[in-house]
Amino acid sequence: EAGVAQSPRYKIIEKRQSVAFWCNPISGHATLYWYQQILGQGPKLLIQFQNNGVVDDSQLPKDRFSAERLKGVDSTLKIQPAKLEDSAVYLCASSFRDSNYGYTFGSGTRLTVV
Amino acid sequence: GEDVEQSLFLSVREGDSSVINCTYTDSSSTYLYWYKQEPGAGLQLLTYIFSNMDMKQDQRLTVLLNKKDKHLSLRIADTQTGDSAIYFCAESQTGANNLFFGTGTRLTVIP
């Protein structure tokens, strides 16, 4: 099966600019996650979708971050405006359902804010 | 909140065994995982263990869980250069899906 697809792989922007990341999960996976991985740290959950509904966005900085999964398939994560501390790898993952058996990660988008 | 800790670095010689350790604080952790991250790649699930188990073996990988001490370890037998990567320990609770990750252990295998 095809893996979790993410684009772009790399993005460099200036602070206060906007940026968007795209994720296409594995076909049939109802649950989609966005994680932020800052250099030298483990990933931290930003938002979790079940189909097109938000399950958990408690760690999402809602003043600047937004995410949507309108048709319950692919998803976009947006940052507006970006800050220097948003430099990180943004990982998308998906699972077949509410799964405690781990899930499949994409390769991530590396964002550098200068 | 949940806290998952790992040592940052480990170096072993090719052919030796590697043991990567992890401690966690949340006693309600039910599922514990080991993920591998190679440079420029996403995280790959290696193995997982339920909290009612003490040990799980899968080919070269052995996971040991000491629930009393909240200590998890991953042993890689006959370590190869291809095993060089960052290894993350993660935990989640029953009915919840958020994975809490450690900071990762960078394993370097010396030929």
Side-chain angles (χ1 to χ4, degrees):
Chain A
E1 68 182 359
V4 176
Q6 289 190 247
S7 66
R9 285 299 310 273
Y10 306 94
K11 191 75 176 178
I12 300 175
I13 62 171
E14 294 182 350
K15 60 184 179 184
R16 291 187 289 273
Q17 285 188 322
S18 302
V19 65
F21 313 126
W22 175 81
C23 171
N24 191 19
I26 291 174
S27 178
H29 280 194
T31 310
L32 184 147
Y33 314 80
W34 283 101
Y35 277 79
Q36 180 193 56
Q37 186 179 16
I38 293 172
L39 186 65
Q41 299 182 17
K44 290 182 172 57
L45 181 71
L46 291 174
I47 189 168
Q48 176 189 342
F49 291 94
Q50 182 76 15
N51 296 309
N52 61 349
V54 175
V55 173
D56 183 357
D57 64 356
S58 57
Q59 301 303 308
L60 187 73
K62 298 182 187 64
D63 57 335
R64 297 183 301 105
F65 286 64
S66 64
E68 60 184 14
R69 193 185 183 199
L70 293 176
K71 297 182 179 178
V73 181
D74 56 349
S75 174
T76 55
L77 175 70
K78 297 178 182 177
I79 308 175
Q80 179 180 8
K83 293 186 176 181
L84 296 177
E85 58 260 36
D86 297 332
S87 294
V89 176
Y90 290 85
L91 294 163
C92 180
S94 69
S95 64
F96 183 62
R97 56 186 182 276
D98 289 353
S99 172
N100 281 311
Y101 301 95
Y103 27 84
T104 305
F105 281 87
S107 298
T109 296
R110 181 177 295 277
L111 173 67
T112 302
V113 183
V114 297
Chain B
E2 294 81 357
D3 192 15
V4 181
E5 295 191 357
Q6 302 177 237
S7 53
L8 292 180
F9 303 100
L10 176 66
S11 292
V12 299
R13 293 207 172 273
E14 189 174 17
D16 288 350
S17 293
S18 308
V19 179
I20 303 171
N21 295 301
C22 169
T23 57
Y24 58 98
T25 57
D26 193 338
S27 58
S28 59
S29 296
T30 305
Y31 301 85
L32 295 126
Y33 308 85
W34 284 104
Y35 280 84
K36 176 183 180 183
Q37 187 175 39
E38 296 182 83
L43 284 84
Q44 173 196 356
L45 177 65
L46 289 177
T47 187
Y48 61 90
I49 189 169
F50 301 129
S51 60
N52 62 357
M53 299 169 63
D54 298 324
M55 186 182 84
K56 181 178 181 181
Q57 187 156 2
D58 183 2
Q59 300 183 338
R60 293 191 297 122
L61 305 180
T62 303
V63 179
L64 294 178
L65 175 61
N66 182 328
K67 194 174 181 182
K68 174 177 170 290
D69 294 339
K70 301 188 185 70
H71 182 267
L72 182 74
S73 68
L74 173 69
R75 179 178 180 268
I76 305 173
D78 186 25
T79 312
Q80 303 298 305
T81 54
D83 295 324
S84 292
I86 300 176
Y87 291 80
F88 289 93
C89 167
E91 61 89 13
S92 68
Q93 301 170 19
T94 304
N97 302 286
N98 185 3
L99 287 181
F100 290 92
F101 286 86
T103 52
T105 299
R106 181 180 295 274
L107 173 66
T108 301
V109 182
I110 304 165

